[in-house]
Amino acid sequence: MISVEEALERILSHIDVLEPERKPILECLGRVLAEDVHSAIDVPPLDNSAMDGYAVQAGDTHGADESSPRHLTVIGEVAAGSIPQETVRPGTAIRIMTGAPLPQGADTVVQFEDTDELSRRSSGGSLTQIGIRRPAKQGRHVRLKGEDIARGDLVLKRGTVLRPQEIGVLASVGHPTVLVIRRPVVAILATGDELVDVDQSLSPGKIYDSNNYTIAGEVSRYGGIPRILGIGRDSIRSLTEKIDEGMAADMLITSGGVSRGYYDMVKDVLAQRGEIGFWTVRMKPGKPLAFGTMSSMEQGRERKVPHLGLPGNPVSSMITFEQFARPAILKMMGRQDLAKPTVRAIIEDEVVNTDGRCVFTRVAVTQRDGRYYASLAGPQGSGILTSMARANGLAVIPETIARVTPGDTIEVQMLDWTH
Ligand code: AMP
Ligand code: MG
């Protein structure tokens, strides 16, 4: 028997980061940057206005107030996207819109609210003059050239996980494509003579395959590309055929056939393709687990495809996926932080750990008065997938803890917190 940590460590030691590829930035959400990105431009490219108002010389506004505004001659107007033609000289102002370049000669912007523009308009007065009602400091409401990004700056470091804001930053420096780590193609295979695909009719003794669907969702959720191979039957021929199809992928995930009864057959099939180990992991649910690497020759080079054999019970397969397949996929995508996000929560039900395994308990986590609480999400049998559907967390009861009682603080992996 090995611990969850040991099993994960062994699996990750066989997982390599995939190669980079160049992609349009819109396709890069959640991907890891494989190059340093420097800016070839200043952002913003020119000094510009942060407000709608008047570009003036600060000196012209000294002593201005509500009752004695300073009057300036309006010599033009500049909108965002155009270049001002006139120069602001003492006694003059240029009407300016947010984002428009600051005209020559101006050193500050007075916002509309601090001028008499509105009262002039409502009284039908002339707009060739403007009254400034408050003194303005130099540089006020002016965004400086390069204040966000200076030309030559390192804007994003290799290894950065691209979120919407990073994708926006890439756009803002004029980078339409970027080098990112490739997404892994993950082949998915359910095994079992009892399984029927969802669009077939059920005959006596059969059940619908749910694992392929759950696992495909999990693979997509963490950034992989799922390729469902279908259902492998409990025969050497069927399994061999399906597993060979999986060799084209970056990783193969099977479910079922790892418990005692099928041990030999799956082992025989996989042993022909590479190395396979069957482990008993001290975790509940999900004790039996298989892991190996299959080898194939591709263009004269040996290619290794990791294979993870999850237990067949729907909850066990999902929980073992979360613990082992998720970090493997993230590692392939170049992610550094592989730990599932957790919160400390107060448990509201008793959980008994009968045989010294790490127990993953399905819980519903709620927040009240600034604290997290976790209550059981229903019956905990490893075939009861609906309690997984009612759960948003997995409480982790360590091997060494025999019992937790209501009020105890426990660690909960948040299922829907994907990063
Ligand atoms: P096994 O690991 O193959 O012995 O399967 C353990 C249990 O999980 C059995 O009750 C199977 O019927 C069930 N099971 C296996 N694979 C699936 C699947 N793809 N979908 C739903 N249940 C499954
Ligand atoms: Mg089976």
Side-chain angles (χ1 to χ4, degrees):
M1 291 240 266
I2 58 174
S3 68
V4 173
E5 294 75 26
E6 230 174 314
L8 179 59
E9 207 171 293
R10 285 196 202 176
I11 291 168
L12 291 179
S13 73
H14 292 276
I15 302 291
D16 297 319
V17 180
L18 299 176
E19 329 73 68
E21 60 181 355
R22 185 159 290 281
K23 279 283 173 190
I25 55 175
L26 269 184
E27 291 172 38
C28 291
L29 189 63
R31 309 276 289 266
V32 172
L33 198 58
E35 61 178 347
D36 285 341
V37 175
H38 293 267
S39 179
I41 57 169
D42 288 307
V43 180
L46 295 169
D47 294 352
N48 69 93
S49 179
M51 283 286 176
D52 292 339
Y54 286 84
V56 303
Q57 293 190 350
D60 275 349
T61 68
H62 289 164
D65 71 21
E66 207 75 24
S67 53
S68 56
R70 304 296 303 265
H71 292 282
L72 302 174
T73 306
V74 179
I75 57 169
E77 185 173 88
V78 58
S82 54
I83 294 292
Q85 302 304 325
E86 303 85 356
T87 298
V88 172
R89 299 184 199 286
T92 68
I94 290 180
R95 196 163 183 266
I96 191 167
M97 300 301 129
T98 304
L102 196 70
Q104 287 279 326
D107 59 14
T108 189
V109 172
V110 179
Q111 61 186 32
F112 282 153
E113 293 82 343
D114 293 336
T115 70
D116 60 5
E117 184 181 302
L118 203 64
S119 52
R120 278 173 188 270
R121 276 187 194 285
S122 50
S123 63
S126 156
L127 285 172
T128 55
Q129 289 266 312
I130 192 73
I132 307 294
R133 292 173 156 166
R134 266 174 84 176
K137 280 210 190 86
Q138 260 187 23
R140 183 93 178 108
H141 304 316
V142 175
R143 302 192 287 218
L144 296 175
K145 166 180 171 170
E147 76 172 21
D148 183 358
I149 300 164
R151 184 173 168 171
D153 271 0
L154 172 63
V155 277
L156 293 175
K157 270 217 236 123
R158 172 199 184 116
T160 303
V161 182
L162 301 176
R163 301 170 299 166
Q165 54 269 54
E166 279 82 21
I167 290 172
V169 167
L170 288 167
S172 75
V173 297
H175 250 69
T177 65
V178 80
L179 214 55
V180 287
I181 305 292
R182 184 166 75 73
R183 298 168 66 192
V185 174
V186 180
I188 302 167
L189 176 68
T191 68
D193 284 341
E194 75 281 29
L195 302 177
V196 168
D197 202 3
V198 66
D199 55 359
Q200 306 293 302
S201 57
L202 272 186
S203 50
K206 308 288 185 189
I207 60 168
Y208 283 120
D209 156 43
S210 59
N211 290 350
N212 274 354
Y213 292 86
T214 308
I215 293 169
E218 289 266 79
V219 167
S220 302
R221 171 181 251 190
Y222 296 118
I225 302 167
R227 287 262 186 282
I228 293 182
L229 302 178
I231 297 168
R233 299 304 168 193
D234 293 320
S235 75
I236 299 268
R237 223 189 94 227
S238 169
L239 280 178
T240 308
E241 205 179 282
K242 289 291 187 189
I243 282 167
D244 281 348
E245 281 179 46
M247 302 281 289
D250 296 303
M251 182 176 184
L252 169 66
I253 297 180
T254 57
S255 65
V258 289
S259 45
R260 285 284 160 215
Y262 297 99
Y263 180 100
D264 287 332
M265 187 172 60
V266 177
K267 191 172 78 172
D268 285 350
V269 173
L270 288 163
Q272 288 167 19
R273 298 289 174 273
E275 291 162 34
I276 183 83
F278 282 79
W279 305 336
T280 309
V281 183
R282 285 194 301 272
M283 67 185 287
K284 188 179 170 180
K287 198 149 109 183
L289 190 76
F291 182 76
T293 49
M294 307 182 293
S295 308
S296 69
M297 293 303 283
E298 204 174 84
Q299 293 162 349
R301 282 182 57 217
E302 192 187 17
R303 201 172 91 90
K304 287 203 182 281
V305 181
H307 164 239
L308 187 57
L310 307 179
N313 274 307
V315 175
S316 311
S317 70
M318 186 171 174
I319 291 178
T320 47
F321 183 105
E322 279 286 338
Q323 307 313 313
F324 305 116
R326 173 187 176 277
I329 289 172
L330 294 182
K331 183 173 177 188
M332 283 192 237
M333 298 209 311
R335 298 281 286 266
Q336 302 277 334
D337 181 10
L338 307 181
K340 186 80 184 171
T342 59
V343 297
R344 308 271 300 158
I346 297 165
I347 191 100
E348 298 185 291
D349 297 287
E350 184 181 65
V351 183
V352 180
N353 188 356
T354 48
D355 56 358
R357 289 190 270 163
C358 179
V359 182
F360 293 91
T361 306
R362 282 149 268 171
V363 291
V365 176
T366 49
Q367 204 180 15
R368 299 195 299 272
D369 309 324
R371 283 184 171 168
Y372 289 110
Y373 291 86
S375 56
L376 293 189
Q380 300 283 319
S382 58
I384 300 179
L385 194 54
T386 51
S387 57
M388 203 71 210
R390 277 191 293 270
N392 61 354
L394 290 178
V396 186
I397 318 296
E399 292 176 3
T400 50
I401 306 289
R403 169 194 306 268
V404 294
T405 47
D408 286 352
T409 299
I410 45 144
E411 191 105 19
V412 181
Q413 296 182 350
M414 298 304 286
L415 284 167
D416 304 329
W417 297 5
T418 52
H419 297 106

